[in-house]
Every structure is written in C-alpha cells, then in structure tokens.
Amino acid sequence: MNLVEEVVAIEAETPHTWPERRGLPDLAGLDPPARAAVAAAVERLRGLREVFADRVFTLLRRHVPGYAVLGPEDIRSSARRFMDVVLAELSALRVPDAALRETLADFASERAAHGVPPDVLALGYQWGSRVMLALMDEVGAAVGLPPALLLAAHDSTWEFTHEAAEIFTRVQRDLALERVQFDAERRAAFAAAVLGGTLPAERIGHDARLFGLVPQARHVALAARAANDADAEALRFAVAGALRLPADRLLLAQVGTVLGFIAPRAPDSVAGHLVAAGPALPLDRLGTGFGEAVLALETARQFAMSGVVRLSGLGPRPLVLADPLTADNLSARHLAALDGAGRSSNEIEHTTRVYLECDQDVREVARRLAVHPNTVRYRVGRFQELTDLNLRRTEDLVTSWWLLNRRRA
C-alpha cells in the first residue's frame, strides 16, 4: 500500500462527525421579545459590516504575520463573507453551524493556495471571532439582548473555534493528499511514456527536470512483474532499497503487463524478486533499453531464473522462445520417440539437459543427480538412440540444447 492509499484508508476508517453546539440555545425557541432583540441586533450588525472588516484587517496585520502574504482587500473581503454567513443564520433563527463550516472549508482551500498554514488560519479565525463578539456586545447592549443569550453566544463561539482549527487542518491535509496523488499520477505517466518510447525527445528534455532527472545522463530501464498491488509496492521498496534511494524518488509505471522503472543504475541484486535491467542509455533512448529488459525478463521467467538479469547474460536462451513453427517441426521429428518411451522418458530428457548444462561432464552430472556415472552414460545414449541426434555432431548438439530448453521453458 502506497502513501496515498494509506491516508485514504485512514480517512475511510475514521469518519468525522461534528459535535452539537452546547452553548447557544435554539433561537427558534426564544420568546417574542428576545427574538425581536435578535432581529434588531442583526440589522445593526449589518450596518457595521465595513467596521468589522476594517477591525479584522487591522488586528491580523498587527498580530498574525502569516497573513502578510494576503492583500488588504483580500482580507477584508473574507471578513465580510464570514459576517454575512453568521448574520444570515441568525436572521433565520438558526445556529450558524453547517453554513459556517462550509464557508470556512472554502476559506481554507483559498488560503492554502496562497501558502497560509492551518495554524495561521486558526489564529486569524480567533481574532475575527473576538471582533464579532465585541460588536455583538456593543449592539446587544443597545437593543436589549438578554445577557444570558450574549454569554451563551460567547461560549458557543469559542467552542466553534476548536472546530474551525480542525476544519482548517483537515482541508489542508486533503489538499496535500490531492497534490501527492496528482504528483504520483504525473510521475507514472512520464515514466510510462519514456519507457514506452512515446514521448518526444524535446518533451523528455523539458519534463525530466520536474522529476529530478538529468536528461543528458544515462539511466537504466528495469522490468519486473507483480502479482498484485501489494506485490508491486513490495517490489518498489525492494528496488529502491537495493539502489539506496528513497522509494518516492523512484519513477515507475505499469507498461502493459510489466512494471517498469527508471533507475540511475542497475541494482546488484533485489532480494526475493526477478528484475531485468536494460543497458544504460539517455532518457530519449530508454524505450529501447526497456524493450531489452522486457525480453530478458520474459526469458528469465520461462527458465525459472531469479535475481537481476540482463539480456547480454542470457546467452542464446531468448532464441529458445522464438519461431514456434520451427520448434514444432523439430519436436515432431526428434522427440516423438522419446515421448513414447514410457516412464523413463522424463529421466532421459532431464539427464540429457543437465548433461548439456554441465558441458558434457559425466561426473558432474552424476554428482548433481546423485546417480552412478554409468547411469548418466546410459540415459544420454538412450536419448541419442530415440531422437536420432548425435551429441558429438555440433549441429545435433545445438538442436538438442534448443529443443530441450524450449520444452523446459
């Protein structure tokens, strides 16, 4: 599981529910005089909209240096919008919860785009709340708001400041997660285009530096297969560890059915995984290197090999997988009698293949198979009788190696 998936999983497992506001009573349940006082207070506060905006701006400039990145009108506009939401809810005799949370979430998104961190936003909200409560106290005294209601408004407002801080933090965390996701998608798209050979050289030169790559430097394409997402993630960390790189700096992408990497060099080994490496090439030629790595990977898989493999180290093995028509014809001609030899056919075939792998050293074959050397000689002799292939003749020797290894693959 990668970083993005881990954060998403945590978010999914911890759904958030906001607490009920305890301090402020249900405004709809107030008696008529109190409701009339609330309505009068709302009207007076609307007339103080610009006063509120100016006071908030002055206090933020003086006490919250993090707001210096924002212009005066930007700050005043946000203050007006904040006051409009509060007054709209109060005039409808509703506690300003849901609408205010939505406004603060939008506000946090806008401020994040300007680089304002959540702790600065929370401090700014506290100063704005102080200004709002001070104005409510002034207006409340003038219109006769019940003191208990004003006190409840103070308590409820400071309760909400804690929620506001959490809103700001959650919004910025969500935005950071979106940026991580977007960056991961861009990196994967770039890697897929380079390894697939579909990205023009000029685009590679332009985009490479965005991902920490030097276009003129030589890189190595790696190819591997993963059974599932968890296996792919384990493979990513294993390759990064072998290269001594942070896993998030390693560019990789799914290219068809193969997982491809853009690496600064080939790893010496990748524990527990089969990885194929292409030659070191500039980025604009890395598609060719990836093609070699894929061929090496598929060949090594057919031969049940492990570790880090290169096409140059596989000898003639890739040729074994080519030309199925020729293989079928030669198999029909030479191996039909061997297949009809009963239970001993497998022993004969296996012994002869090991005999060729050991450069026809009978004693080494006997040691590997834990049999007598004469048993090796007998089985190899039977192979030659049944297949009509004389292993002393170079052409027949090559044909035997090719057929037996193709059958094994």
Side-chain angles (χ1 to χ4, degrees), residues 316-329:
R317 289 183 180 87
L319 300 177
V320 170
L321 306 181
D323 197 1
L325 180 60
T326 299
D328 291 342
N329 290 335

Side-chain angles (χ1 to χ4, degrees), residues 292-306:
E292 289 191 22
V294 171
L295 178 57
L297 175 69
E298 297 308 316
T299 302
R301 287 181 68 241
Q302 294 293 336
F303 282 89
M305 301 173 73
S306 61

Side-chain angles (χ1 to χ4, degrees), residues 8-341:
V8 170
I10 292 172
E11 292 287 333
E13 292 172 3
T14 56
H16 187 82
T17 55
W18 297 108
E20 292 294 329
R21 299 279 287 282
R22 297 189 304 273
L24 203 60
D26 182 4
L27 298 180
L30 296 176
D31 58 46
R35 293 174 64 181
V38 170
V42 168
E43 288 305 312
R44 290 208 179 196
L45 287 169
R46 279 204 178 98
L48 297 173
R49 192 166 175 263
E50 293 304 318
V51 172
F52 175 73
D54 288 341
R55 289 186 185 181
V56 169
F57 169 73
T58 301
L59 287 172
L60 292 184
R61 276 288 192 260
R62 183 182 304 162
H63 298 288
V64 189
Y67 268 83
V69 297
L70 304 175
E73 185 52 34
D74 193 352
I75 295 175
R76 289 189 174 93
S77 176
S78 295
R80 295 186 198 103
R81 188 169 54 179
F82 168 80
M83 189 175 194
D84 288 343
V85 171
V86 174
L87 295 181
E89 296 291 281
L90 288 176
S91 65
L93 299 179
R94 291 193 299 263
V95 175
D97 281 356
L100 187 53
R101 289 184 185 115
E102 183 177 348
T103 295
L104 292 179
D106 293 340
F107 172 71
S109 298
E110 294 173 8
R111 292 297 175 252
H114 291 89
V116 181
D119 57 333
V120 172
L121 291 178
L123 186 58
Y125 179 78
Q126 291 176 16
W127 282 106
S129 297
R130 289 185 183 187
V131 174
M132 189 70 191
L133 289 173
L135 285 177
M136 287 182 67
D137 288 345
E138 296 173 16
V139 170
V143 301
L145 274 177
L149 181 58
L150 279 173
L151 181 60
H154 277 261
D155 291 342
S156 180
T157 297
W158 292 119
E159 283 181 19
F160 198 85
T161 58
H162 297 295
E163 294 183 22
E166 186 173 347
I167 289 171
F168 298 148
T169 300
R170 287 176 67 87
V171 167
Q172 295 227 356
R173 185 172 64 240
D174 290 344
L175 292 173
L177 178 61
E178 288 179 8
R179 286 193 292 270
V180 170
Q181 179 74 60
F182 178 69
D183 183 59
E185 291 173 355
R186 288 184 65 197
R187 291 166 65 86
F190 175 79
V194 170
L195 295 173
T198 61
L199 197 63
E202 58 271 17
R203 278 289 306 281
I204 292 176
H206 176 269
D207 293 350
R209 298 186 187 280
L210 299 176
F211 305 107
L213 301 178
V214 179
Q216 295 78 18
R218 290 178 176 268
H219 297 79
V220 172
L222 305 177
R225 281 187 178 271
N228 48 49
D229 291 343
D231 189 29
E233 192 66 5
L235 183 58
R236 179 171 74 97
F237 277 97
V239 172
L243 294 172
R244 300 181 184 275
L245 288 175
D248 59 358
R249 285 186 53 196
L250 187 63
L251 267 69
L252 72 156
Q254 190 74 30
V255 185
T257 59
V258 176
L259 194 62
F261 299 81
I262 298 178
R265 61 189 180 280
D268 294 328
S269 64
V270 180
H273 297 278
L274 170 63
V275 176
L281 295 169
L283 284 175
D284 58 359
R285 294 172 51 203
L286 206 59
T288 301
F290 183 63
E292 289 191 22
V294 171
L295 178 57
L297 175 69
E298 297 308 316
T299 302
R301 287 181 68 241
Q302 294 293 336
F303 282 89
M305 301 173 73
S306 61
V308 177
V309 299
R310 296 170 177 79
L311 192 62
S312 58
L314 294 176
R317 289 183 180 87
L319 300 177
V320 170
L321 306 181
D323 197 1
L325 180 60
T326 299
D328 291 342
N329 290 335
L330 285 174
S331 293
R333 176 181 173 186
H334 295 291
L335 301 184
L338 175 63
D339 293 337

